[in-house]
Amino acid sequence: MGFWIVIAALVAAALYLIALYNGLVKKRQMVEEGWSGIDVQLKRRSDLIPNLVETVKGYASHEKATLEAVTDLRGAASRVPAGDVAGRAAVESQISQALGRLFAVAEAYPDLKASDNFRELQAGLDKVEDALQMARRYYNGAVRGLNVMVESFPSNLVAGKFGFAKAEYFEIEDPADRALPKVSF
């Protein structure tokens, strides 16, 4: 009788460890899915930027420095390695600031603000920014779930044994970057 109790306990422990391992795998996949969602939205935003810059260029050709900054930052974002969450967050924060400056430039050009093309691009960018914010929330929630499992006992034993590590949050480091640029039309 005691032999079967030991066997049942071992089987229960093995099943529990398997469940912990599968939970960690699920959490890691959710983090990867979340990052993919952020990446898709950043790509959508990046695709809108050249059209936005070209539209503004037609009206504000002497605002060359602002236009070049937005374009250069878009290129810098594409050069950040895929897994570099902190690096990508830093560049994307700079892009947000540059876009704020671009919209501030647009303020000085009433014809530009009235342009249907500009308004459509601005509305598209607003939609992408909203989707990006939702993707960031999902990603950070998935990171939190993984990090809790990686650090909590007894799942931390399984995580350490099988190489699961904490993931980085997608955060804005500079508090000034958290402020939304004032854009009014």
Side-chain angles (χ1 to χ4, degrees), residues 91-170:
V91 171
E92 293 302 331
S93 175
Q94 292 173 353
I95 288 175
S96 293
Q97 287 179 348
L99 286 172
R101 288 189 301 272
L102 183 66
F103 285 122
V105 165
E107 249 331 276
Y109 298 90
D111 290 345
L112 173 60
K113 290 191 308 186
S115 162
D116 288 339
N117 189 27
F118 182 76
R119 285 197 313 247
E120 287 174 20
L121 288 169
Q122 198 266 338
L125 190 59
D126 284 346
K127 286 179 186 175
V128 169
E129 290 295 331
D130 289 343
L132 183 56
Q133 182 181 28
M134 288 178 14
R136 284 178 185 146
R137 277 193 218 132
Y138 177 85
Y139 173 78
N140 285 338
V143 167
R144 181 188 61 243
L146 175 65
N147 290 351
V148 166
M149 281 195 76
V150 167
E151 292 183 333
S152 297
F153 182 80
S155 58
N156 63 344
L157 301 174
V158 175
K161 179 89 171 147
F162 291 100
F164 288 89
K166 287 176 57 176
E168 288 183 61
Y169 287 100
F170 192 92

Side-chain angles (χ1 to χ4, degrees), residues 21-143:
Y21 177 83
N22 288 340
L24 285 162
V25 169
K26 179 181 176 185
K27 299 289 185 185
R28 181 173 57 194
Q29 290 302 314
M30 290 176 71
V31 167
E32 290 174 8
E33 175 190 12
W35 181 249
S36 175
I38 288 175
D39 204 37
V40 165
Q41 297 308 322
L42 292 175
K43 173 76 171 120
R44 285 180 62 202
R45 180 169 80 169
S46 181
D47 290 346
L48 282 173
I49 289 173
N51 295 330
L52 191 58
V53 168
E54 287 303 314
T55 301
V56 174
K57 254 188 204 177
Y59 289 89
S61 58
H62 65 279
E63 303 287 355
K64 187 176 179 182
T66 301
L67 298 170
E68 285 177 355
V70 172
T71 303
D72 291 346
L73 287 168
R74 178 180 176 261
S78 67
R79 291 187 296 274
V80 174
D84 184 2
V85 175
R88 189 70 181 262
V91 171
E92 293 302 331
S93 175
Q94 292 173 353
I95 288 175
S96 293
Q97 287 179 348
L99 286 172
R101 288 189 301 272
L102 183 66
F103 285 122
V105 165
E107 249 331 276
Y109 298 90
D111 290 345
L112 173 60
K113 290 191 308 186
S115 162
D116 288 339
N117 189 27
F118 182 76
R119 285 197 313 247
E120 287 174 20
L121 288 169
Q122 198 266 338
L125 190 59
D126 284 346
K127 286 179 186 175
V128 169
E129 290 295 331
D130 289 343
L132 183 56
Q133 182 181 28
M134 288 178 14
R136 284 178 185 146
R137 277 193 218 132
Y138 177 85
Y139 173 78
N140 285 338
V143 167

